[in-house]
Amino acid sequence: MNLPGATGRVAAQAVPPILPIAALLVMWELAGRFGLVNVFLASMPSRVVTAIVEMATEGPLLTDVLTTVRLLFVAYGVSVVLGVVLGMLAGFLRKFEYGFSPLIWFFYNAPIVAFIPLLMLWFGLGGPTIFVLGLLFGFFPIYVNTASGIENVDPVLMRLGRSFCLKRWEMAWKIVLPAALPIIFAGFRLAMGRVFVGIIVGEIFAGSRFGLGFRLRNAADRLQTDESFAALVVIAVMAVLIGTVLRRLDERFSAWRMVGN
Amino acid sequence: MRRPVDVQNPPAVQRARARAEGTRRTARTRPRDQRLTRLWISSATVAVAILLWEVAARTGVMDARFTSSPSGVVANLPWLVESDFRVHAGYTLYAITAAFGLSLVAGAAAGLVIGRVRLARRLLDPLVTIGYTTPLTAFIPVVVMFLGLGITSKIVIGLVGGVFPVLVNVAAGAGTVDPPLLRAARSFSVGRFQTYRHVIVPSVLPYAVTGARIGLGRVLIGVIITEMFGGSQYGLGLLLIRMGQSFRTDELMLLVLVVGIAGTLTVGGLRSWERRMARWRAV
Amino acid sequence: MDLTRPDSAVPRGGTVRPFIRIEDLTVEYRSPSNQPLTAIDRLNLDVAQGEFISVVGPSGCGKSTLLMAVDGLLQPVEGRIEIDGTPVTAPGRDRAVVFQEFALLPWRTVRQNVAFGLEGQRMSKARREETVSRYLRLVGLENFAGHYPSQLSGGMRQRVGIARALAVEPQVLLMDEPFGALDAQTREILGEELLRIWDAHQRTVLFITHDIDEAVFLSDRVAVMTRRPARIKEIMAIDLPRPRTIEVKSSKPFGQYRRRIWDMLHDEAIQASRER
């Protein structure tokens, strides 16, 4: 399976991870140049790059990015606030959690995309629908993680609190919340990626005038392959950027985090 | 056999004080009672919500043309049977099954390789990251441009959606097979295939189930969204869009509930299986 | 002879009235199928003030349950517990617990952990800091005040736990298998440490353990618990002179005590494993 010991390790280190992507891009470019594929259908890396530059300098790319980012932050912010508030309610007051849980379970597991036509019916095209979609994608991980973090505090710590005569609010403030924080933050990080997906989906279906998702849809509808790939690349780059930032935050956070008793 | 009552601290006072100070009478809470309470409150909330919905629709608080009503939804149940719902449902189900099956096979195979061959991991890591984190929907316009509006596009998008979670999770699982287990296998001269079958695969299984659960969710989304994209001839996604566009709210709501519940049940089912697997997981 | 009474003990500075009185204590659990399980059945035990008493017993017999009842976390179905004449109904400032799993708050420093029990009390910040420092010094961790639990070894973490419990200056120190999560060497070292620390203030200590050597080494008396439903099988007075050092563990009387208790426990353990 593994190349024998040392050889395997050396080989792994020597090969830069960028190799496969670079290789694919080169093949794609060559295929285009030598007419192996219909360039109007399949495009080429060089044309895609040109398209990106055009869209950025003369076209609406910047506005698109800003529109998407703005919606992203608004939807994320509201998700966090709602998710944390309701999550805390559910975590501390079991009765509430029981009440919410069927609804939550339904939305958490159901394909949210099925709601898109409904949302479009209610809110029409544009901002509101996209925002709601982003909210739907982002709220649930935060709610579930917050409630779960609060409910699953190490029982020993709970016993500690009771043994030292902590009042109920003291227990919450001194023990439950700090203990739940890592899980709650994990929810925050999870939600960020999901809200982004929700926003892009919203823009593709209900976007108007600006937005990365809208740009992609628009270009594809006009059968402009170069522009479509350009938009896709920008979206992918954004996605990877967000993912990387989150992963760094995760690592930084875990280093700080105590492994506990 | 009761002790003589302490006059200054009769049991009633003791119990009241204990209640006030939050101690519990028995050492452990009763799980069965807890489950019943939970069921009770959950059902009650759902029932109340449905009731409120109906009332709101009837009294005009919510415009039933937009929000439908429980009675409207139920009244349209026959429509599921009478209309071409079955055709569309079958189409979607076929696409989902194909995409999910392919995701499992490809994802598991690739995951095992990536998990155990360091070179493969380094080479494929960036590709996997891009494929996994990019919103699935973003691929649709491009895929449709290439593959047209038929079922192939749906299956491909579903595949792209489902393969990466499976791959990543299987890789994680394959990479963490307990070294002592592997050493034991080697010292017993167990052949490579046998090792796979009896040591690696069972260790990887819980991870695979997690991957499958996430993957299924994404396959569902991928297929349905591609159907919604426009120009598709069949599919539940298309049906949803059509009902929305023709303002047939009752049918739309019914569909949303059906698809939603179907999705919840399947993904939820996998989640339960996953939880059961987690119990014996060493990690 | 009523072995539950501390007449046979050599309590240090003890008074005649038992400081801790446990009378006919009966504690029940509910099993998952809602069947009531009697963990402790009419247990009687008296402890003198300033006494160090250990409770040993087979695994799962309810030693921790007893401790939780004394701490006021569990309400008995029957019987009562009194400390210095006052009935126990809830946790209180007169008792402090040292936990087997340490139960340190991972996001707090050592200093902040030790201060934990003092925060509920009305005391000036200066006085609180001074108390914390004093107890940190007592357990030998004054140089680690700013560290986090994850940076400490198991033995050090438990010392923090001990300091935290002592800082509230309780009447009774309840120790729930405090060295159970530590390796054998650390356990021995901490055992000696504990005696040294205890010597400084002589609080009443109720010490739960499954380690017979530990029990004999540390205590004035050792109470042996039966299997579930538990009660006290026998109490043995440990007549070894204090201050004790590790050498005493190889002395003849020590061996005899150990043997006696081992025999008693052995019986109970075998019966318990047969019933499970």
Side-chain angles (χ1 to χ4, degrees):
Chain A
M1 291 173 273
N2 259 318
L3 295 177
T7 325
R9 250 172 280 132
V10 168
Q13 298 290 50
V15 177
I18 206 72
L19 198 61
I21 300 183
L24 280 171
L25 288 174
V26 167
M27 284 196 292
W28 185 10
E29 181 78 18
L30 292 175
R33 289 209 188 231
F34 288 115
L36 289 169
V37 282
N38 181 352
V39 159
F40 287 106
L41 191 60
S43 186
M44 278 195 301
S46 47
R47 290 167 67 111
V48 173
V49 172
T50 322
I52 295 182
V53 173
E54 259 179 37
M55 284 161 71
T57 49
E58 298 161 29
L61 191 63
L62 203 57
T63 324
D64 288 332
V65 172
L66 286 173
T67 312
T68 305
V69 169
R70 190 163 43 91
L71 277 164
L72 179 64
F73 278 117
V74 172
Y76 185 67
V78 176
S79 297
V80 167
V81 171
L82 270 180
V84 168
V85 169
L86 289 177
M88 283 212 243
L89 201 63
F92 285 115
L93 302 165
R94 288 310 147 86
K95 304 286 166 68
F96 268 99
E97 204 253 319
Y98 296 164
F100 287 147
S101 67
L103 200 70
I104 301 291
W105 199 67
F106 177 69
F107 279 101
Y108 200 38
N109 289 312
I112 299 184
V113 296
F115 297 103
I116 294 181
L118 204 59
L119 291 177
M120 291 208 286
L121 192 67
W122 290 347
F123 302 108
L125 292 180
T129 310
I130 303 174
F131 163 76
V132 173
L133 212 47
L135 183 62
L136 279 175
F137 271 80
F139 168 79
F140 296 100
I142 297 183
Y143 169 87
V144 167
N145 273 38
T146 308
S148 164
I150 292 175
E151 283 167 24
N152 293 315
V153 175
D154 190 354
V156 180
L157 293 183
M158 300 295 281
R159 186 175 151 200
L160 170 73
R162 293 207 316 275
S163 200
F164 275 84
C165 315
L166 252 48
K167 296 182 218 80
R168 215 185 139 109
W169 70 266
E170 279 180 312
M171 286 281 274
W173 182 246
K174 291 191 184 182
I175 295 187
V176 177
L177 278 178
L181 228 44
I183 299 189
I184 296 181
F185 280 175
F188 286 179
R189 294 192 294 275
L190 188 61
M192 182 52 127
R194 292 187 61 157
V195 173
F196 181 62
V197 173
I199 299 292
I200 296 291
V201 171
E203 286 178 344
I204 287 179
F205 282 91
S208 60
R209 296 220 313 150
F210 292 109
L212 283 172
F214 173 73
R215 191 62 46 211
L216 175 61
R217 177 70 187 264
N218 188 268
D221 284 347
R222 291 182 290 126
L223 290 174
Q224 296 288 336
T225 359
D226 305 332
E227 274 185 46
S228 309
F229 272 108
L232 179 58
V233 166
V234 175
I235 293 177
V237 167
M238 241 187 110
V240 174
L241 263 170
I242 293 178
T244 316
V245 168
L246 290 176
R247 209 173 337 130
R248 288 288 156 78
L249 280 172
D250 199 4
E251 283 162 21
R252 174 95 55 88
F253 192 80
S254 299
W256 170 96
R257 197 214 311 193
M258 265 49 83
V259 183
N261 304 314
Chain B
M1 269 285 283
R2 293 236 117 165
R3 302 280 317 157
V5 174
D6 180 340
V7 186
Q8 289 185 315
N9 254 320
V13 174
Q14 287 190 359
R15 262 181 270 128
R17 200 189 308 166
R19 233 178 297 133
E21 297 182 281
T23 53
R24 292 171 297 185
R25 186 172 164 80
T26 46
R28 216 182 285 156
T29 52
R30 312 159 202 205
R32 201 194 268 167
D33 288 358
Q34 231 180 30
R35 269 195 296 237
L36 253 105
T37 320
R38 193 195 178 100
L39 204 62
W40 206 100
I41 298 187
S42 301
S43 322
T45 329
V46 171
V48 167
I50 295 180
L51 199 69
L52 283 175
W53 183 17
E54 181 71 21
V55 166
R58 296 244 177 146
T59 59
V61 169
M62 294 205 299
D63 189 344
R65 286 173 306 161
F66 279 95
T67 56
S68 184
S69 64
S71 44
V73 168
V74 171
N76 273 288
L77 277 171
W79 172 80
L80 285 177
V81 184
E82 293 159 13
S83 69
D84 49 359
F85 169 78
R86 274 171 306 162
V87 178
H88 294 286
Y91 184 87
T92 306
L93 255 141
Y94 176 73
I96 291 176
T97 318
F100 189 51
L102 285 170
S103 301
L104 285 177
V105 172
L112 278 173
V113 173
I114 290 186
R116 303 204 51 76
V117 180
R118 215 169 309 173
L119 186 61
R121 170 167 238 137
R122 257 185 91 83
L123 282 179
L124 295 174
D125 213 25
L127 275 174
V128 170
T129 312
I130 294 181
Y132 198 178
T133 54
T134 311
L136 197 54
T137 321
F139 292 113
I140 296 180
V142 173
V143 170
V144 167
M145 259 195 315
F146 278 104
L147 297 171
L149 297 162
I151 201 166
T152 325
S153 301
K154 283 95 178 180
I155 297 181
V156 167
I157 294 288
L159 176 60
V160 172
V163 74
F164 290 110
V166 176
L167 190 156
V168 165
N169 277 280
V170 168
T176 62
V177 177
D178 202 12
L181 275 178
L182 286 173
R183 258 181 271 142
R186 218 178 308 158
S187 69
F188 282 100
S189 304
V190 176
R192 184 169 296 176
F193 178 66
Q194 296 281 59
T195 313
Y196 259 101
R197 210 176 139 233
H198 292 290
V199 177
I200 295 184
V201 169
S203 307
V204 168
L205 204 53
Y207 293 87
V209 176
T210 306
R213 193 245 313 161
I214 303 176
L216 181 62
R218 286 167 63 106
V219 167
L220 278 171
I221 293 177
V223 169
I224 293 181
I225 265 208
T226 317
E227 291 169 351
M228 287 183 180
F229 194 63
S232 176
Q233 267 222 299
Y234 297 103
L236 287 174
L238 167 73
L239 204 56
L240 281 163
I241 292 273
R242 214 186 262 169
M243 292 301 114
Q245 282 173 342
S246 36
F247 231 93
R248 292 165 66 175
T249 329
D250 292 338
E251 287 91 334
L252 177 59
M253 194 58 94
L254 175 59
L255 265 180
V256 169
L257 285 171
V258 167
V259 172
I261 292 177
T264 308
L265 287 177
T266 35
V267 174
L270 272 177
R271 221 186 262 270
S272 311
W273 189 22
E274 185 187 347
R275 230 174 291 148
R276 252 177 292 142
M277 291 247 114
R279 241 180 263 155
W280 71 259
R281 207 205 287 205
V283 176
Chain C
M1 182 165 70
D2 184 356
L3 281 168
T4 62
R5 313 235 144 251
D7 308 338
S8 49
V10 189
R12 307 179 67 202
T15 52
V16 179
R17 177 186 62 168
F19 191 63
I20 305 179
R21 166 168 251 157
I22 305 174
E23 254 185 305
D24 285 346
L25 181 70
T26 309
V27 178
E28 274 181 10
Y29 274 102
R30 290 262 165 184
S31 75
S33 54
N34 237 3
Q35 296 292 93
L37 262 136
T38 310
I40 299 176
D41 189 23
R42 273 166 299 170
L43 186 146
N44 286 286
L45 182 64
D46 285 343
V47 182
Q49 184 166 34
E51 182 180 6
F52 194 125
I53 183 166
S54 291
V55 177
V56 298
S59 314
C61 71
K63 311 193 284 287
S64 284
T65 313
L66 174 62
L67 198 111
M68 284 207 270
V70 177
D71 195 20
L73 289 173
L74 296 176
Q75 280 290 49
V77 166
E78 271 196 50
R80 77 223 239 108
I81 304 177
E82 274 182 15
I83 296 188
D84 203 8
T86 320
V88 166
T89 50
R93 243 190 269 155
D94 56 339
R95 288 149 283 155
V97 181
V98 178
F99 298 87
Q100 179 178 14
E101 314 89 333
F102 319 137
L104 299 183
L105 300 178
W107 54 86
R108 287 190 177 208
T109 60
V110 163
R111 172 175 290 276
Q112 290 165 340
N113 264 292
V114 176
F116 180 69
L118 299 171
E119 285 164 6
Q121 299 179 18
R122 228 170 306 195
M123 73 168 54
S124 69
K125 190 163 173 207
R127 173 129 174 263
R128 182 159 58 224
E129 311 253 304
E130 188 265 329
T131 312
V132 169
S133 300
R134 184 165 17 115
Y135 284 101
L136 276 177
R137 251 173 292 138
L138 183 62
V139 301
L141 286 176
E142 64 270 26
N143 293 324
F144 292 89
H147 283 61
Y148 285 96
S150 62
Q151 299 168 300
L152 304 176
S153 68
M156 292 163 89
R157 289 183 200 171
Q158 193 55 296
R159 283 195 231 175
V160 178
I162 294 174
R164 174 179 63 191
L166 291 176
V168 301
E169 296 180 345
Q171 304 269 44
V172 179
L173 196 58
L174 301 170
M175 305 186 79
D176 193 350
E177 303 208 43
F179 306 143
L182 304 169
D183 64 271
Q185 287 174 336
T186 315
R187 229 182 289 156
E188 275 209 29
I189 297 174
L190 273 173
E192 265 199 317
E193 278 286 295
L194 183 60
L195 280 187
R196 176 186 63 81
I197 294 169
W198 178 65
D199 220 8
H201 54 77
Q202 299 163 34
R203 295 193 200 285
T204 315
V205 177
L206 179 59
F207 189 95
I208 309 283
T209 182
H210 60 268
D211 185 332
I212 304 174
D213 277 13
E214 199 169 72
V216 175
F217 177 63
L218 295 171
S219 338
D220 294 316
R221 288 192 298 156
V222 175
V224 178
M225 258 176 111
T226 65
R227 67 195 184 284
R228 201 189 344 115
R231 31 164 69 182
I232 301 294
K233 184 175 180 129
E234 196 175 317
I235 302 185
M236 174 153 288
I238 307 291
D239 217 343
L240 298 166
R242 290 190 190 271
R244 300 179 190 162
T245 55
I246 295 212
E247 284 84 56
V248 74
K249 289 195 181 178
S250 29
S251 72
K252 188 145 172 255
F254 190 94
Q256 286 172 334
Y257 285 127
R258 185 205 289 135
R259 191 62 206 270
R260 269 296 303 284
I261 298 178
W262 164 235
D263 285 338
M264 282 191 262
L265 266 185
H266 191 63
D267 263 347
E268 291 299 320
I270 294 215
Q271 303 262 14
S273 66
R274 269 206 213 112
E275 283 168 6
R276 214 159 292 161

